[in-house]
Amino acid sequence: QVQLVESGGGLVQAGGSLRLSCAASGDTICVSDMAWYRQTPGKERELVASITRGGSTNYEDYVKGRFSISRDNAKNTVYLQMTSLRPEDTAVYYCKAPQRRVPLLGLRCDDYWGQGTQVTVSS
């Protein structure tokens, strides 16, 4: 079992910045690749950014150049640095540890999600 604890959300004016954190504990062998998602009422949860254990990153177009995902493997923590925030960035942000399965090693980890942290950007 993996526990993901998020922090750093809050209220910020347009153009401001926030840094989200997600600390993993429990069966940390299940924590390899990580991702940030966001969701607003009435819409599906959408991918924001992802990062491999080795540090390779990927971003959706609507945040590219404004957001930066990073991690500290020693602390089992992933971060999302958000700058130039816009009202349309308002959402609940979730971190995710995707399923990790290596049958030959008997490794089988499920998807794990954080509880979510609210980000509100005022105009």
mmCIF file of all heavy atoms in Angstrom, residues 17-65:
data_model
loop_
_atom_site.group_PDB
_atom_site.id
_atom_site.type_symbol
_atom_site.label_atom_id
_atom_site.label_comp_id
_atom_site.label_asym_id
_atom_site.label_seq_id
_atom_site.Cartn_x
_atom_site.Cartn_y
_atom_site.Cartn_z
ATOM 1 N N SER A 17 2.289 32.376 -8.441
ATOM 2 C CA SER A 17 2.950 31.078 -8.456
ATOM 3 C C SER A 17 2.576 30.256 -7.235
ATOM 4 O O SER A 17 2.267 30.796 -6.178
ATOM 5 C CB SER A 17 4.474 31.243 -8.486
ATOM 6 O OG SER A 17 4.900 31.968 -9.618
ATOM 7 N N LEU A 18 2.621 28.945 -7.396
ATOM 8 C CA LEU A 18 2.449 28.001 -6.310
ATOM 9 C C LEU A 18 3.347 26.806 -6.559
ATOM 10 O O LEU A 18 3.622 26.464 -7.706
ATOM 11 C CB LEU A 18 0.999 27.520 -6.191
ATOM 12 C CG LEU A 18 -0.038 28.460 -5.588
ATOM 13 C CD1 LEU A 18 -1.428 27.847 -5.726
ATOM 14 C CD2 LEU A 18 0.270 28.743 -4.127
ATOM 15 N N ARG A 19 3.755 26.151 -5.475
ATOM 16 C CA ARG A 19 4.537 24.928 -5.567
ATOM 17 C C ARG A 19 3.815 23.824 -4.819
ATOM 18 O O ARG A 19 3.647 23.903 -3.602
ATOM 19 C CB ARG A 19 5.933 25.120 -4.985
ATOM 20 C CG ARG A 19 6.872 23.939 -5.230
ATOM 21 C CD ARG A 19 8.092 24.042 -4.352
ATOM 22 N NE ARG A 19 9.135 23.098 -4.711
ATOM 23 C CZ ARG A 19 10.049 22.645 -3.859
ATOM 24 N NH1 ARG A 19 10.050 23.050 -2.603
ATOM 25 N NH2 ARG A 19 10.975 21.787 -4.271
ATOM 26 N N LEU A 20 3.390 22.800 -5.544
ATOM 27 C CA LEU A 20 2.717 21.662 -4.954
ATOM 28 C C LEU A 20 3.724 20.565 -4.637
ATOM 29 O O LEU A 20 4.687 20.359 -5.376
ATOM 30 C CB LEU A 20 1.653 21.105 -5.893
ATOM 31 C CG LEU A 20 0.619 22.091 -6.437
ATOM 32 C CD1 LEU A 20 -0.401 21.351 -7.298
ATOM 33 C CD2 LEU A 20 -0.071 22.835 -5.305
ATOM 34 N N SER A 21 3.479 19.860 -3.534
ATOM 35 C CA SER A 21 4.322 18.746 -3.131
ATOM 36 C C SER A 21 3.470 17.508 -2.929
ATOM 37 O O SER A 21 2.308 17.598 -2.532
ATOM 38 C CB SER A 21 5.065 19.058 -1.826
ATOM 39 O OG SER A 21 5.908 20.174 -1.962
ATOM 40 N N CYS A 22 4.052 16.351 -3.192
ATOM 41 C CA CYS A 22 3.390 15.073 -2.964
ATOM 42 C C CYS A 22 4.416 14.114 -2.386
ATOM 43 O O CYS A 22 5.346 13.697 -3.083
ATOM 44 C CB CYS A 22 2.798 14.527 -4.260
ATOM 45 S SG CYS A 22 2.018 12.903 -4.092
ATOM 46 N N ALA A 23 4.241 13.767 -1.119
ATOM 47 C CA ALA A 23 5.160 12.887 -0.422
ATOM 48 C C ALA A 23 4.591 11.473 -0.369
ATOM 49 O O ALA A 23 3.451 11.276 0.063
ATOM 50 C CB ALA A 23 5.426 13.402 0.987
ATOM 51 N N ALA A 24 5.380 10.497 -0.787
ATOM 52 C CA ALA A 24 4.958 9.102 -0.814
ATOM 53 C C ALA A 24 5.533 8.344 0.374
ATOM 54 O O ALA A 24 6.675 8.568 0.787
ATOM 55 C CB ALA A 24 5.391 8.433 -2.109
ATOM 56 N N SER A 25 4.736 7.437 0.914
ATOM 57 C CA SER A 25 5.184 6.565 1.989
ATOM 58 C C SER A 25 4.528 5.198 1.829
ATOM 59 O O SER A 25 3.643 5.020 1.004
ATOM 60 C CB SER A 25 4.868 7.161 3.360
ATOM 61 O OG SER A 25 3.473 7.333 3.534
ATOM 62 N N GLY A 26 4.959 4.236 2.639
ATOM 63 C CA GLY A 26 4.449 2.887 2.538
ATOM 64 C C GLY A 26 5.358 2.028 1.685
ATOM 65 O O GLY A 26 6.570 2.017 1.885
ATOM 66 N N ASP A 27 4.768 1.321 0.727
ATOM 67 C CA ASP A 27 5.525 0.449 -0.164
ATOM 68 C C ASP A 27 6.140 1.274 -1.283
ATOM 69 O O ASP A 27 5.661 1.274 -2.423
ATOM 70 C CB ASP A 27 4.631 -0.648 -0.728
ATOM 71 C CG ASP A 27 4.105 -1.582 0.339
ATOM 72 O OD1 ASP A 27 4.796 -1.773 1.352
ATOM 73 O OD2 ASP A 27 2.994 -2.127 0.154
ATOM 74 N N THR A 28 7.206 1.964 -0.956
ATOM 75 C CA THR A 28 7.791 2.895 -1.911
ATOM 76 C C THR A 28 8.428 2.203 -3.108
ATOM 77 O O THR A 28 8.766 2.873 -4.083
ATOM 78 C CB THR A 28 8.819 3.808 -1.224
ATOM 79 O OG1 THR A 28 9.798 3.012 -0.555
ATOM 80 C CG2 THR A 28 8.126 4.718 -0.212
ATOM 81 N N ILE A 29 8.588 0.884 -3.051
ATOM 82 C CA ILE A 29 9.039 0.168 -4.228
ATOM 83 C C ILE A 29 8.024 0.318 -5.362
ATOM 84 O O ILE A 29 8.370 0.173 -6.536
ATOM 85 C CB ILE A 29 9.287 -1.324 -3.914
ATOM 86 C CG1 ILE A 29 10.047 -2.004 -5.057
ATOM 87 C CG2 ILE A 29 7.977 -2.039 -3.642
ATOM 88 C CD1 ILE A 29 10.449 -3.428 -4.768
ATOM 89 N N CYS A 30 6.783 0.617 -5.008
ATOM 90 C CA CYS A 30 5.733 0.831 -5.990
ATOM 91 C C CYS A 30 5.750 2.229 -6.593
ATOM 92 O O CYS A 30 4.952 2.520 -7.483
ATOM 93 C CB CYS A 30 4.361 0.570 -5.363
ATOM 94 S SG CYS A 30 4.061 -1.160 -4.940
ATOM 95 N N VAL A 31 6.615 3.095 -6.098
ATOM 96 C CA VAL A 31 6.684 4.467 -6.572
ATOM 97 C C VAL A 31 7.860 4.600 -7.534
ATOM 98 O O VAL A 31 9.020 4.629 -7.125
ATOM 99 C CB VAL A 31 6.828 5.450 -5.401
ATOM 100 C CG1 VAL A 31 6.881 6.878 -5.933
ATOM 101 C CG2 VAL A 31 5.684 5.285 -4.417
ATOM 102 N N SER A 32 7.546 4.664 -8.803
ATOM 103 C CA SER A 32 8.567 4.832 -9.831
ATOM 104 C C SER A 32 8.226 6.072 -10.655
ATOM 105 O O SER A 32 8.581 7.183 -10.268
ATOM 106 C CB SER A 32 8.656 3.584 -10.702
ATOM 107 O OG SER A 32 9.709 3.689 -11.644
ATOM 108 N N ASP A 33 7.521 5.887 -11.769
ATOM 109 C CA ASP A 33 7.009 7.041 -12.498
ATOM 110 C C ASP A 33 5.939 7.737 -11.666
ATOM 111 O O ASP A 33 5.234 7.102 -10.876
ATOM 112 C CB ASP A 33 6.427 6.618 -13.834
ATOM 113 C CG ASP A 33 7.458 6.012 -14.769
ATOM 114 O OD1 ASP A 33 8.664 6.071 -14.461
ATOM 115 O OD2 ASP A 33 7.053 5.471 -15.814
ATOM 116 N N MET A 34 5.820 9.049 -11.834
ATOM 117 C CA MET A 34 4.828 9.825 -11.106
ATOM 118 C C MET A 34 4.188 10.827 -12.058
ATOM 119 O O MET A 34 4.763 11.170 -13.088
ATOM 120 C CB MET A 34 5.458 10.569 -9.923
ATOM 121 C CG MET A 34 6.031 9.668 -8.847
ATOM 122 S SD MET A 34 4.722 8.861 -7.881
ATOM 123 C CE MET A 34 4.086 10.263 -6.963
ATOM 124 N N ALA A 35 2.998 11.293 -11.698
ATOM 125 C CA ALA A 35 2.288 12.236 -12.548
ATOM 126 C C ALA A 35 1.413 13.159 -11.710
ATOM 127 O O ALA A 35 1.026 12.825 -10.587
ATOM 128 C CB ALA A 35 1.431 11.498 -13.581
ATOM 129 N N TRP A 36 1.113 14.321 -12.266
ATOM 130 C CA TRP A 36 0.142 15.254 -11.709
ATOM 131 C C TRP A 36 -1.050 15.338 -12.649
ATOM 132 O O TRP A 36 -0.881 15.446 -13.869
ATOM 133 C CB TRP A 36 0.729 16.653 -11.525
ATOM 134 C CG TRP A 36 1.658 16.781 -10.360
ATOM 135 C CD1 TRP A 36 3.013 16.701 -10.374
ATOM 136 C CD2 TRP A 36 1.285 17.027 -9.007
ATOM 137 N NE1 TRP A 36 3.518 16.879 -9.110
ATOM 138 C CE2 TRP A 36 2.478 17.080 -8.247
ATOM 139 C CE3 TRP A 36 0.063 17.211 -8.346
ATOM 140 C CZ2 TRP A 36 2.489 17.308 -6.866
ATOM 141 C CZ3 TRP A 36 0.069 17.430 -6.976
ATOM 142 C CH2 TRP A 36 1.271 17.480 -6.255
ATOM 143 N N TYR A 37 -2.246 15.284 -12.070
ATOM 144 C CA TYR A 37 -3.499 15.461 -12.782
ATOM 145 C C TYR A 37 -4.271 16.616 -12.155
ATOM 146 O O TYR A 37 -3.966 17.045 -11.047
ATOM 147 C CB TYR A 37 -4.360 14.197 -12.711
ATOM 148 C CG TYR A 37 -3.875 13.031 -13.546
ATOM 149 C CD1 TYR A 37 -2.751 12.303 -13.188
ATOM 150 C CD2 TYR A 37 -4.576 12.641 -14.689
ATOM 151 C CE1 TYR A 37 -2.317 11.229 -13.944
ATOM 152 C CE2 TYR A 37 -4.150 11.561 -15.447
ATOM 153 C CZ TYR A 37 -3.030 10.862 -15.074
ATOM 154 O OH TYR A 37 -2.610 9.782 -15.822
ATOM 155 N N ARG A 38 -5.298 17.090 -12.855
ATOM 156 C CA ARG A 38 -6.189 18.072 -12.264
ATOM 157 C C ARG A 38 -7.614 17.821 -12.729
ATOM 158 O O ARG A 38 -7.843 17.221 -13.770
ATOM 159 C CB ARG A 38 -5.753 19.504 -12.593
ATOM 160 C CG ARG A 38 -5.888 19.900 -14.054
ATOM 161 C CD ARG A 38 -5.292 21.281 -14.263
ATOM 162 N NE ARG A 38 -5.481 21.770 -15.620
ATOM 163 C CZ ARG A 38 -4.968 22.900 -16.083
ATOM 164 N NH1 ARG A 38 -4.233 23.679 -15.282
ATOM 165 N NH2 ARG A 38 -5.191 23.270 -17.334
ATOM 166 N N GLN A 39 -8.571 18.320 -11.942
ATOM 167 C CA GLN A 39 -9.972 18.082 -12.242
ATOM 168 C C GLN A 39 -10.825 19.237 -11.736
ATOM 169 O O GLN A 39 -10.629 19.721 -10.627
ATOM 170 C CB GLN A 39 -10.451 16.775 -11.605
ATOM 171 C CG GLN A 39 -11.852 16.364 -11.998
ATOM 172 C CD GLN A 39 -12.196 14.972 -11.515
ATOM 173 O OE1 GLN A 39 -11.613 14.482 -10.548
ATOM 174 N NE2 GLN A 39 -13.127 14.323 -12.184
ATOM 175 N N THR A 40 -11.781 19.657 -12.562
ATOM 176 C CA THR A 40 -12.771 20.655 -12.191
ATOM 177 C C THR A 40 -14.143 19.994 -12.197
ATOM 178 O O THR A 40 -14.344 18.965 -12.859
ATOM 179 C CB THR A 40 -12.757 21.848 -13.153
ATOM 180 O OG1 THR A 40 -12.975 21.386 -14.494
ATOM 181 C CG2 THR A 40 -11.420 22.570 -13.089
ATOM 182 N N PRO A 41 -15.127 20.563 -11.468
ATOM 183 C CA PRO A 41 -16.451 19.949 -11.416
ATOM 184 C C PRO A 41 -17.065 19.758 -12.797
ATOM 185 O O PRO A 41 -17.038 20.662 -13.631
ATOM 186 C CB PRO A 41 -17.264 20.942 -10.579
ATOM 187 C CG PRO A 41 -16.254 21.614 -9.714
ATOM 188 C CD PRO A 41 -15.034 21.738 -10.579
ATOM 189 N N GLY A 42 -17.603 18.579 -13.033
ATOM 190 C CA GLY A 42 -18.259 18.284 -14.288
ATOM 191 C C GLY A 42 -17.341 17.873 -15.415
ATOM 192 O O GLY A 42 -17.822 17.605 -16.519
ATOM 193 N N LYS A 43 -16.050 17.818 -15.157
ATOM 194 C CA LYS A 43 -15.095 17.439 -16.191
ATOM 195 C C LYS A 43 -14.269 16.249 -15.731
ATOM 196 O O LYS A 43 -14.111 15.996 -14.542
ATOM 197 C CB LYS A 43 -14.180 18.607 -16.544
ATOM 198 C CG LYS A 43 -14.892 19.796 -17.166
ATOM 199 C CD LYS A 43 -13.904 20.868 -17.582
ATOM 200 C CE LYS A 43 -14.611 22.029 -18.244
ATOM 201 N NZ LYS A 43 -13.654 23.083 -18.684
ATOM 202 N N GLU A 44 -13.737 15.533 -16.712
ATOM 203 C CA GLU A 44 -12.879 14.402 -16.400
ATOM 204 C C GLU A 44 -11.527 14.871 -15.896
ATOM 205 O O GLU A 44 -11.052 15.954 -16.238
ATOM 206 C CB GLU A 44 -12.687 13.519 -17.631
ATOM 207 C CG GLU A 44 -13.933 12.782 -18.088
ATOM 208 C CD GLU A 44 -13.639 11.785 -19.184
ATOM 209 O OE1 GLU A 44 -12.501 11.767 -19.689
ATOM 210 O OE2 GLU A 44 -14.545 11.019 -19.529
ATOM 211 N N ARG A 45 -10.932 14.040 -15.075
ATOM 212 C CA ARG A 45 -9.587 14.317 -14.609
ATOM 213 C C ARG A 45 -8.625 14.272 -15.793
ATOM 214 O O ARG A 45 -8.680 13.362 -16.620
ATOM 215 C CB ARG A 45 -9.196 13.293 -13.549
ATOM 216 C CG ARG A 45 -7.961 13.639 -12.747
ATOM 217 C CD ARG A 45 -7.825 12.700 -11.548
ATOM 218 N NE ARG A 45 -8.955 12.824 -10.632
ATOM 219 C CZ ARG A 45 -9.077 12.145 -9.500
ATOM 220 N NH1 ARG A 45 -8.125 11.279 -9.136
ATOM 221 N NH2 ARG A 45 -10.141 12.312 -8.737
ATOM 222 N N GLU A 46 -7.731 15.251 -15.879
ATOM 223 C CA GLU A 46 -6.838 15.348 -17.009
ATOM 224 C C GLU A 46 -5.382 15.381 -16.560
ATOM 225 O O GLU A 46 -5.046 15.932 -15.511
ATOM 226 C CB GLU A 46 -7.150 16.587 -17.860
ATOM 227 C CG GLU A 46 -6.965 17.909 -17.140
ATOM 228 C CD GLU A 46 -7.300 19.106 -18.003
ATOM 229 O OE1 GLU A 46 -7.810 18.906 -19.119
ATOM 230 O OE2 GLU A 46 -7.063 20.245 -17.556
ATOM 231 N N LEU A 47 -4.548 14.800 -17.379
ATOM 232 C CA LEU A 47 -3.115 14.766 -17.109
ATOM 233 C C LEU A 47 -2.516 16.157 -17.273
ATOM 234 O O LEU A 47 -2.837 16.881 -18.214
ATOM 235 C CB LEU A 47 -2.438 13.780 -18.056
ATOM 236 C CG LEU A 47 -0.914 13.645 -17.946
ATOM 237 C CD1 LEU A 47 -0.526 13.020 -16.614
ATOM 238 C CD2 LEU A 47 -0.375 12.804 -19.096
ATOM 239 N N VAL A 48 -1.629 16.522 -16.362
ATOM 240 C CA VAL A 48 -0.919 17.791 -16.421
ATOM 241 C C VAL A 48 0.542 17.575 -16.811
ATOM 242 O O VAL A 48 1.048 18.201 -17.745
ATOM 243 C CB VAL A 48 -0.996 18.546 -15.087
ATOM 244 C CG1 VAL A 48 -0.178 19.830 -15.138
ATOM 245 C CG2 VAL A 48 -2.446 18.845 -14.727
ATOM 246 N N ALA A 49 1.217 16.700 -16.085
ATOM 247 C CA ALA A 49 2.635 16.454 -16.320
ATOM 248 C C ALA A 49 3.012 15.117 -15.716
ATOM 249 O O ALA A 49 2.340 14.612 -14.815
ATOM 250 C CB ALA A 49 3.502 17.569 -15.725
ATOM 251 N N SER A 50 4.099 14.543 -16.198
ATOM 252 C CA SER A 50 4.577 13.278 -15.670
ATOM 253 C C SER A 50 6.095 13.292 -15.619
ATOM 254 O O SER A 50 6.753 14.076 -16.310
ATOM 255 C CB SER A 50 4.083 12.094 -16.505
ATOM 256 O OG SER A 50 4.550 12.180 -17.842
ATOM 257 N N ILE A 51 6.637 12.391 -14.797
ATOM 258 C CA ILE A 51 8.084 12.304 -14.639
ATOM 259 C C ILE A 51 8.452 10.865 -14.326
ATOM 260 O O ILE A 51 7.786 10.191 -13.542
ATOM 261 C CB ILE A 51 8.587 13.268 -13.540
ATOM 262 C CG1 ILE A 51 10.116 13.281 -13.472
ATOM 263 C CG2 ILE A 51 7.973 12.931 -12.186
ATOM 264 C CD1 ILE A 51 10.670 14.402 -12.603
ATOM 265 N N THR A 52 9.510 10.374 -14.954
ATOM 266 C CA THR A 52 10.005 9.044 -14.664
ATOM 267 C C THR A 52 10.919 9.089 -13.454
ATOM 268 O O THR A 52 11.328 10.155 -12.989
ATOM 269 C CB THR A 52 10.767 8.458 -15.859
ATOM 270 O OG1 THR A 52 11.990 9.192 -16.049
ATOM 271 C CG2 THR A 52 9.935 8.524 -17.126
ATOM 272 N N ARG A 53 11.255 7.906 -12.936
ATOM 273 C CA ARG A 53 12.162 7.864 -11.803
ATOM 274 C C ARG A 53 13.512 8.470 -12.161
ATOM 275 O O ARG A 53 14.172 9.077 -11.307
ATOM 276 C CB ARG A 53 12.348 6.431 -11.312
ATOM 277 C CG ARG A 53 13.248 6.327 -10.100
ATOM 278 C CD ARG A 53 13.177 4.976 -9.433
ATOM 279 N NE ARG A 53 14.045 4.927 -8.256
ATOM 280 C CZ ARG A 53 13.711 5.378 -7.069
ATOM 281 N NH1 ARG A 53 12.514 5.917 -6.872
ATOM 282 N NH2 ARG A 53 14.565 5.287 -6.053
ATOM 283 N N GLY A 54 13.919 8.327 -13.415
ATOM 284 C CA GLY A 54 15.177 8.884 -13.867
ATOM 285 C C GLY A 54 15.140 10.372 -14.161
ATOM 286 O O GLY A 54 16.192 10.964 -14.434
ATOM 287 N N GLY A 55 13.953 10.986 -14.124
ATOM 288 C CA GLY A 55 13.846 12.421 -14.289
ATOM 289 C C GLY A 55 13.375 12.910 -15.641
ATOM 290 O O GLY A 55 13.313 14.129 -15.853
ATOM 291 N N SER A 56 13.033 12.022 -16.557
ATOM 292 C CA SER A 56 12.481 12.449 -17.839
ATOM 293 C C SER A 56 11.074 12.983 -17.637
ATOM 294 O O SER A 56 10.266 12.371 -16.939
ATOM 295 C CB SER A 56 12.467 11.295 -18.836
ATOM 296 O OG SER A 56 13.783 10.850 -19.116
ATOM 297 N N THR A 57 10.757 14.113 -18.264
ATOM 298 C CA THR A 57 9.484 14.792 -18.034
ATOM 299 C C THR A 57 8.668 14.912 -19.307
ATOM 300 O O THR A 57 9.197 14.870 -20.420
ATOM 301 C CB THR A 57 9.708 16.192 -17.447
ATOM 302 O OG1 THR A 57 10.494 16.965 -18.361
ATOM 303 C CG2 THR A 57 10.436 16.105 -16.114
ATOM 304 N N ASN A 58 7.361 15.090 -19.117
ATOM 305 C CA ASN A 58 6.435 15.301 -20.210
ATOM 306 C C ASN A 58 5.336 16.230 -19.722
ATOM 307 O O ASN A 58 4.884 16.116 -18.579
ATOM 308 C CB ASN A 58 5.848 13.977 -20.691
ATOM 309 C CG ASN A 58 5.131 14.103 -22.015
ATOM 310 O OD1 ASN A 58 5.354 15.044 -22.771
ATOM 311 N ND2 ASN A 58 4.279 13.139 -22.314
ATOM 312 N N TYR A 59 4.899 17.160 -20.580
ATOM 313 C CA TYR A 59 3.916 18.172 -20.214
ATOM 314 C C TYR A 59 2.817 18.260 -21.252
ATOM 315 O O TYR A 59 3.071 18.087 -22.452
ATOM 316 C CB TYR A 59 4.556 19.554 -20.079
ATOM 317 C CG TYR A 59 5.651 19.646 -19.050
ATOM 318 C CD1 TYR A 59 6.984 19.438 -19.388
ATOM 319 C CD2 TYR A 59 5.354 19.950 -17.726
ATOM 320 C CE1 TYR A 59 7.985 19.522 -18.443
ATOM 321 C CE2 TYR A 59 6.350 20.038 -16.774
ATOM 322 C CZ TYR A 59 7.668 19.822 -17.137
ATOM 323 O OH TYR A 59 8.663 19.911 -16.190
ATOM 324 N N GLU A 60 1.612 18.557 -20.791
ATOM 325 C CA GLU A 60 0.539 18.899 -21.699
ATOM 326 C C GLU A 60 0.759 20.315 -22.220
ATOM 327 O O GLU A 60 1.362 21.162 -21.546
ATOM 328 C CB GLU A 60 -0.807 18.788 -20.999
ATOM 329 C CG GLU A 60 -1.137 17.365 -20.562
ATOM 330 C CD GLU A 60 -1.158 16.400 -21.728
ATOM 331 O OE1 GLU A 60 -1.981 16.594 -22.641
ATOM 332 O OE2 GLU A 60 -0.350 15.446 -21.729
ATOM 333 N N ASP A 61 0.257 20.571 -23.424
ATOM 334 C CA ASP A 61 0.541 21.836 -24.096
ATOM 335 C C ASP A 61 0.072 23.052 -23.303
ATOM 336 O O ASP A 61 0.722 24.109 -23.335
ATOM 337 C CB ASP A 61 -0.102 21.851 -25.488
ATOM 338 C CG ASP A 61 0.608 20.939 -26.469
ATOM 339 O OD1 ASP A 61 1.765 20.556 -26.207
ATOM 340 O OD2 ASP A 61 0.009 20.615 -27.511
ATOM 341 N N TYR A 62 -1.037 22.938 -22.588
ATOM 342 C CA TYR A 62 -1.597 24.102 -21.932
ATOM 343 C C TYR A 62 -0.829 24.542 -20.697
ATOM 344 O O TYR A 62 -1.109 25.601 -20.137
ATOM 345 C CB TYR A 62 -3.082 23.869 -21.587
ATOM 346 C CG TYR A 62 -3.362 22.599 -20.838
ATOM 347 C CD1 TYR A 62 -3.237 22.527 -19.457
ATOM 348 C CD2 TYR A 62 -3.780 21.453 -21.517
ATOM 349 C CE1 TYR A 62 -3.500 21.361 -18.770
ATOM 350 C CE2 TYR A 62 -4.053 20.279 -20.839
ATOM 351 C CZ TYR A 62 -3.908 20.237 -19.464
ATOM 352 O OH TYR A 62 -4.176 19.068 -18.786
ATOM 353 N N VAL A 63 0.144 23.747 -20.254
ATOM 354 C CA VAL A 63 0.981 24.146 -19.119
ATOM 355 C C VAL A 63 2.454 24.242 -19.492
ATOM 356 O O VAL A 63 3.254 24.738 -18.688
ATOM 357 C CB VAL A 63 0.821 23.191 -17.923
ATOM 358 C CG1 VAL A 63 -0.633 23.120 -17.488
ATOM 359 C CG2 VAL A 63 1.353 21.807 -18.249
ATOM 360 N N LYS A 64 2.804 23.809 -20.676
ATOM 361 C CA LYS A 64 4.192 23.800 -21.091
ATOM 362 C C LYS A 64 4.759 25.219 -21.083
ATOM 363 O O LYS A 64 4.167 26.146 -21.613
ATOM 364 C CB LYS A 64 4.319 23.183 -22.486
ATOM 365 C CG LYS A 64 5.705 22.683 -22.816
ATOM 366 C CD LYS A 64 5.685 21.842 -24.094
ATOM 367 C CE LYS A 64 7.030 21.191 -24.354
ATOM 368 N NZ LYS A 64 6.987 20.315 -25.561
ATOM 369 N N GLY A 65 5.914 25.374 -20.453
ATOM 370 C CA GLY A 65 6.531 26.678 -20.325
ATOM 371 C C GLY A 65 6.136 27.428 -19.079
ATOM 372 O O GLY A 65 6.780 28.428 -18.732
#
